[in-house]
Amino acid sequence: MMSTTTTQDNAVVLDGITKRFGPTTVLDDLSLHISAGELVSVLGPSGCGKTTAMRILAGFEKPTTGRVLVSGKDLTAVAPNRRDIGMVFQAYSLFPNLSVRQNVEYGLRVRRVRREARRRTAEELLEMCGLPQLADRYPHQLSGGQQQRVALARALAVQPSVLLLDEPLSALDAIVRHQIREEIRRLQQQLGITTMFVTHDQEEALAIADRVAVLNGGVIEQVDEPRTIYRRPATEFVAQFVGTVTRLGADPSFTRGALPVQGPAHGLDTLFVRPEDLTLSPAAEGTCTVVSQTFTGERTIVRASGDEGPELISSVSAAEAADLVPGTRVIPHVLDEPALRLPAAASAAERVPA
């Protein structure tokens, strides 16, 4: 039977990891703790070092400096096949000449587990992954979503202490991606397995994780629960990379309410305002003009532009959108504390965009 619990020993620690390739520093003194049974998403743009961090944890890369610890044991110099870590990749990497059942059993066969036990474990995992009827098919007979489920079942079959998922959903279409994401989360919680999930997809990271680590240029900018990452980003990069924001200049005394539209400038605080915290009220004396609407289903994204200020992005209901057709003059109102407020310590020209 597959174990449905994990010991408190299966914590992961990346301790002061620096990785250089020649003169290029890919990871710079990165430290990350993943508690036993926790799922942490490592989120960042292409080239930020997130896959390198995962490869170092898996043992496929050696850090220039720093340590890798699992269950309190230093694994920095331990070979990948001796780390008790399961991996699922973007490319499913299934063996084309093996059936679904044989693919799932593969790791157990390498470990010389008896045939009856291998079959029992494979059948249990295929049931958990919703694939019992496909056990005798081959990878080329499966859809992308089915192949990814098989890859997940294969990684879990050896009951690893840690599971690594490297962009596992990016090759799937939107509906299947959502389904597999829910499956991964359900299985991870059911089995209580310590998991690192690498992705560049913000929605994916926020939806699946207990905590999110936002990586930029080899440095972790923030590690927090998904809601905190979105509502209270710690840095300008996190505010702009995770979700959508309007970047405005405001007097240091401004809190909320109607706001004269102006861009960040010397002597002004810089506000990063989420679309749901910014409303646009039609008014003949409005200081902005609606430029466009984008219908997204439950909400409509309305973009407006100040006469001399930046673009404003507001998320409104269908009823509100009816009064905000392009060309409408509006007054912007900030409803809540901005996601991030940078004090007027430097001019916009002195700030380097993330």
Side-chain angles (χ1 to χ4, degrees), residues 62-78:
K62 300 298 182 187
T64 305
T65 60
R67 300 183 301 159
V68 175
L69 297 96
V70 176
S71 303
K73 299 176 182 178
D74 190 337
L75 302 184
T76 312
V78 175

Side-chain angles (χ1 to χ4, degrees), residues 30-272:
L30 180 147
S31 292
L32 178 65
H33 180 277
I34 305 176
S35 300
E38 184 181 32
L39 192 158
V40 170
S41 287
V42 179
L43 172 67
S46 297
C48 71
K50 57 186 184 295
T51 295
T52 300
M54 175 172 283
R55 288 177 59 82
I56 287 173
L57 176 52
F60 299 135
E61 297 283 355
K62 300 298 182 187
T64 305
T65 60
R67 300 183 301 159
V68 175
L69 297 96
V70 176
S71 303
K73 299 176 182 178
D74 190 337
L75 302 184
T76 312
V78 175
N81 63 343
R82 300 181 63 84
R83 293 196 179 197
D84 192 25
I85 290 176
M87 291 196 70
V88 179
F89 301 94
Q90 174 183 345
Y92 318 122
S93 302
L94 300 177
F95 298 110
N97 60 320
L98 300 182
S99 70
V100 166
R101 180 187 290 108
Q102 291 168 333
N103 264 282
V104 176
E105 290 182 8
Y106 180 80
L108 297 172
R109 191 173 68 187
V110 170
R111 297 183 181 202
R112 301 185 182 279
V113 175
R114 295 179 61 182
R115 181 177 179 179
E116 296 79 7
R118 295 201 312 260
R119 191 177 186 90
R120 188 165 55 248
T121 297
E123 289 176 350
E124 184 178 349
L125 277 166
L126 290 174
E127 183 70 36
M128 291 171 67
C129 293
L131 300 170
Q133 73 283 8
L134 303 179
D136 296 320
R137 293 191 185 179
Y138 287 82
H140 73 273
Q141 297 173 310
L142 306 178
S143 68
Q146 290 168 339
Q147 290 186 57
Q148 195 59 292
R149 283 187 172 96
V150 175
L152 178 61
R154 184 178 62 182
L156 294 173
V158 296
Q159 301 188 45
S161 58
V162 177
L163 178 64
L164 306 182
L165 300 150
D166 187 11
E167 302 273 10
L169 309 179
S170 59
L172 305 174
D173 63 52
I175 294 176
V176 175
R177 188 163 62 242
H178 178 80
Q179 292 172 343
I180 303 298
R181 184 179 74 199
E182 295 300 315
E183 281 293 307
I184 289 172
R185 185 55 165 159
R186 179 183 64 81
L187 287 169
Q188 185 270 332
Q189 291 181 314
Q190 181 177 338
L191 298 172
I193 188 169
T194 308
T195 303
M196 177 191 280
F197 187 103
V198 163
T199 182
H200 66 274
D201 187 302
Q202 305 156 30
E203 178 185 345
E204 196 168 274
L206 296 175
I208 201 172
D210 294 304
R211 289 187 301 144
V212 177
V214 182
L215 198 58
N216 177 34
V219 176
I220 291 181
E221 299 252 344
Q222 185 174 0
V223 184
D224 255 313
E225 295 180 354
R227 183 177 296 275
T228 303
I229 290 285
Y230 181 79
R231 294 300 305 172
R232 292 292 176 260
T235 68
E236 183 173 351
F237 174 81
V238 177
Q240 296 189 114
F241 183 74
V242 180
T244 301
V245 290
T246 294
R247 194 165 174 262
L248 297 168
D251 188 272
S253 63
F254 176 82
T255 55
R256 64 190 70 183
L259 178 66
V261 178
Q262 50 197 329
H266 185 72
L268 299 177
D269 287 358
T270 301
L271 310 184
F272 296 82

Side-chain angles (χ1 to χ4, degrees), residues 270-332:
T270 301
L271 310 184
F272 296 82
V273 184
R274 296 296 186 196
E276 62 272 22
D277 294 329
L278 183 65
T279 63
L280 304 172
S281 302
E285 69 279 14
T287 55
C288 301
T289 303
V290 174
V291 175
S292 68
Q293 286 190 3
T294 303
F295 178 69
T296 62
E298 295 180 2
R299 306 290 289 178
T300 297
I301 302 301
V302 177
R303 297 177 182 269
S305 180
D307 293 338
E308 296 182 1
E311 182 183 62
L312 305 164
I313 305 172
S314 177
S315 174
V316 302
S317 67
E320 293 172 304
D323 296 325
L324 296 172
V325 297
T328 304
R329 298 290 287 180
V330 294
I331 297 175

